[in-house]
Amino acid sequence: MPNYQNYVFVVDTLGQPLSPTHRARARKLLKQGLAAVFRTYPFTIILKKTVENPVNEPLRLKLDPGASVTGIALVNQSRDTVIWGAELTHTGDRIRAKLTAHRVVRRHRRCRKTRYRQARFNNRKRADGWLAPSLKHRVETTLTWVNRLISSCPITDISMELVRFDTQKLQNPEISGVEYQQGVLLGYELREYLLTKWQHQCAYCGGQNIPLEIEHIQPKSQGGSDRVSNLAIACHKCHQKKGSQALEQFLEKKPEILKRLLVQAKAPLKNAAAVNSTRWALFNSLKLTGLPIEIGTGGLTKYNRTVQGLPKTHWLDDADCVGKSTPTRLKIKTHQPLLITCFGRGGRQKAAPNKRLPICHNPLKPIKGWLTGDIAKHKTHGIGRITLRSRGSFVLTKPDKTQFSVKPIDLKPVFRRDGYLYKFSRVFR
């Protein structure tokens, strides 16, 4: 199958976004000297002329906000084609871990003989709409990339998955009438919720990558209900073997599995809670762009993905299939999404200590115009990521992890550090 890649963004000399173009056409413009490289990630070229009254094809930006990964896709609405995709990996867990370590150090200080500092927690007030730093990070990084894409291509609409699961309909299926239950979305919300809760594996044997069925933990013949807390997913073999037995009787010889299953059945979804906490903050931020926003649920996204027959990936099935605007048949013109990982711009810690003494000193200010993490091209060793040294020479790390000591005068900038790491995924087809 052809090795399809993301389309290339195009802007004119005034920075006006134009319709993205195929990589072959962009390569031709660069060779003919009609354009130059404007940005490396995402790859953008700038024309050496101004385009008056451009006729652009409408693009829809589709977002699937997740707890750890957000899927991003651009769909050409006039051709029903997916021309660009990306997966944005957040670092909320790392932020939370750093805050926890900071809290531990601060509490240990109370046990030492140091000067008294008056408590301040009684006179602090959180602003309305306050989010924890690990959650706020997800909103801000997603919004950053939305603004980058708006400035690089002519986006006319935005589709966003506002809720991962329709929890109200899960608890009360008749909340908006029987039309929902009798429509094409029958059962999709419930199945998607259970698959995520039980991590796509059988609750009894742990089997993966096999057909799974909805199972009543407490059988209905013994008074079990249809509530979500009483439902699990199991393979066909375990489902038939359990039958109408009580859970305690079925797992009588497996007390460890019984204990784990009872705890997991009542445990809330941590990732779903994080998404639900940030969904409205992201939605309100997107409204400030002035573009029309379409919203959808996780069940609708899964239904669209099933109709399209797409494999499960963050950017392809989740982002592309968000909302009712998804056409009956999408044409996938890219199979290599851009993988973006939030890396940060570095900390303010001057010295990196061990248990007793500082072991190295990190240069915080740019050295001869360079920062650690910049991508540069060396006249002999090629392209790699640089690490600063205070003594004058830098370390050039190539993609294969080999390192070279280089002089700044021999380096040519390719991409300045912006707080993200980039790479392309492998072709999935």
Side-chain angles (χ1 to χ4, degrees):
M1 193 168 184
N3 185 9
Y4 294 134
Q5 296 180 344
N6 283 342
Y7 273 41
V8 176
F9 297 142
V10 184
V11 297
D12 64 1
T13 53
L14 298 179
Q16 181 179 210
L18 306 175
S19 295
T21 185
H22 194 273
R23 297 184 72 90
R25 181 173 176 81
R27 192 179 300 112
K28 183 177 180 180
L29 292 173
L30 292 172
K31 287 184 178 181
Q32 293 177 351
L34 301 177
V37 177
F38 181 69
R39 186 181 295 113
T40 306
Y41 299 106
F43 192 71
T44 309
I45 62 175
I46 180 170
L47 300 180
K48 296 183 179 180
K49 66 176 183 179
T50 303
V51 179
E52 300 290 343
N53 301 321
V55 180
N56 296 322
E57 296 180 334
L59 299 179
R60 178 178 289 273
L61 174 61
K62 295 204 170 188
L63 300 172
D64 174 41
S68 57
V69 178
T70 293
I72 307 174
L74 285 176
V75 178
N76 188 322
Q77 299 188 87
S78 61
R79 302 175 185 269
D80 292 340
T81 56
V82 181
I83 62 174
W84 194 87
E87 291 185 359
L88 176 61
T89 302
H90 306 290
T91 56
D93 293 338
R94 188 175 66 176
I95 294 175
R96 183 170 59 251
K98 287 186 176 181
L99 291 175
T100 301
H102 187 198
R103 182 170 61 252
V104 171
V105 174
R106 187 172 64 248
R107 289 184 176 179
H108 283 177
R109 186 185 185 279
R110 300 171 185 172
C111 303
R112 302 196 300 268
K113 293 183 178 180
T114 55
R115 66 178 181 85
Y116 175 76
R117 293 198 305 178
Q118 188 176 3
R120 297 185 296 167
F121 58 86
N122 287 332
N123 54 17
R124 292 180 179 179
K125 182 179 180 181
R126 292 175 177 174
D128 295 336
W130 179 87
L131 288 174
S134 59
L135 299 179
K136 186 178 179 181
H137 156 80
R138 296 181 175 97
V139 177
E140 291 181 344
T141 51
T142 304
L143 190 62
T144 294
W145 275 93
V146 169
N147 292 328
R148 286 189 181 186
L149 295 176
I150 291 176
S151 64
S152 302
C153 55
I155 296 176
T156 58
D157 302 274
I158 298 177
S159 295
M160 170 190 171
E161 189 176 272
L162 185 62
V163 290
R164 190 73 180 93
F165 311 106
D166 197 342
T167 53
Q168 287 186 324
K169 287 187 173 66
L170 291 177
Q171 297 295 334
N172 183 12
E174 302 295 332
I175 192 171
S176 61
V178 297
E179 181 180 357
Y180 175 87
Q181 291 295 306
Q182 295 175 353
V184 294
L185 290 181
L186 174 62
Y188 273 89
E189 298 283 355
L190 180 61
R191 293 180 191 134
E192 182 70 8
Y193 180 88
L194 292 176
L195 286 172
T196 304
K197 181 176 182 178
W198 295 95
Q199 302 174 0
H200 292 78
Q201 61 183 9
C202 177
Y204 301 116
C205 68
Q208 299 180 359
N209 301 321
I210 55 176
L212 299 171
E213 305 171 355
I214 297 180
E215 152 73 9
H216 286 78
I217 298 176
Q218 184 71 17
K220 296 188 68 175
S221 60
Q222 299 185 15
S225 66
D226 291 330
R227 295 182 65 86
V228 178
S229 58
N230 191 47
L231 297 179
I233 54 175
C235 62
H236 181 74
K237 182 179 179 180
C238 293
H239 194 183
Q240 294 296 322
K241 186 176 180 180
K242 180 176 180 291
S244 60
Q245 299 181 66
L247 182 64
E248 292 76 7
Q249 180 183 356
F250 177 62
L251 298 176
E252 182 179 3
K253 298 182 179 180
K254 301 177 180 179
E256 297 84 5
I257 298 179
L258 175 61
K259 181 180 179 180
R260 188 258 307 166
L261 194 146
L262 292 176
V263 173
Q264 190 171 356
K266 297 181 180 180
L269 282 175
K270 178 181 177 181
N271 291 340
V275 174
N276 289 337
S277 300
T278 59
R279 55 180 179 172
W280 286 111
L282 179 59
F283 177 76
N284 293 328
S285 299
L286 292 176
K287 287 173 62 178
L288 299 178
T289 61
L291 298 176
I293 302 177
E294 176 194 42
I295 60 175
T297 64
L300 178 60
T301 301
K302 183 176 181 179
Y303 170 75
N304 290 336
R305 184 188 74 227
T306 304
V307 173
Q308 301 287 341
L310 297 175
K312 184 170 180 57
T313 56
H314 288 285
W315 72 276
L316 185 60
D317 71 319
D318 290 341
D320 290 352
C321 299
V322 170
K324 296 181 179 180
S325 63
T326 305
T328 305
R329 189 62 182 172
L330 272 173
K331 301 174 184 178
I332 311 299
K333 291 297 183 180
T334 174
H335 293 163
Q336 286 189 328
L338 178 64
L339 303 184
I340 310 166
T341 303
C342 299
F343 185 71
R345 296 180 181 269
R348 296 185 295 271
Q349 189 177 19
K350 181 64 178 176
N354 57 12
K355 294 182 179 180
R356 296 179 180 84
L357 299 173
I359 57 177
C360 67
H361 294 273
N362 302 320
L364 300 181
K365 296 182 179 180
I367 297 180
K368 297 183 180 180
W370 294 94
L371 288 171
T372 296
D374 290 346
I375 299 177
K377 182 178 181 180
H378 190 263
K379 60 182 182 180
T380 303
H381 304 301
I383 297 178
R385 190 177 297 274
I386 65 171
T387 303
L388 302 187
R389 285 176 176 172
S390 300
R391 60 174 179 248
S393 62
F394 298 161
V395 176
L396 180 72
T397 304
K398 305 213 22 125
D400 58 358
K401 305 302 182 182
T402 57
Q403 295 183 343
F404 303 92
S405 180
V406 297
K407 296 180 179 180
I409 195 173
D410 297 331
L411 297 175
K412 182 179 179 180
V414 174
F415 187 77
R416 295 296 186 180
R417 185 186 71 178
D418 63 347
Y420 298 92
L421 296 178
Y422 304 95
K423 67 177 181 178
F424 289 92
S425 69
R426 295 181 178 179
V427 180
F428 68 91
R429 289 182 179 179

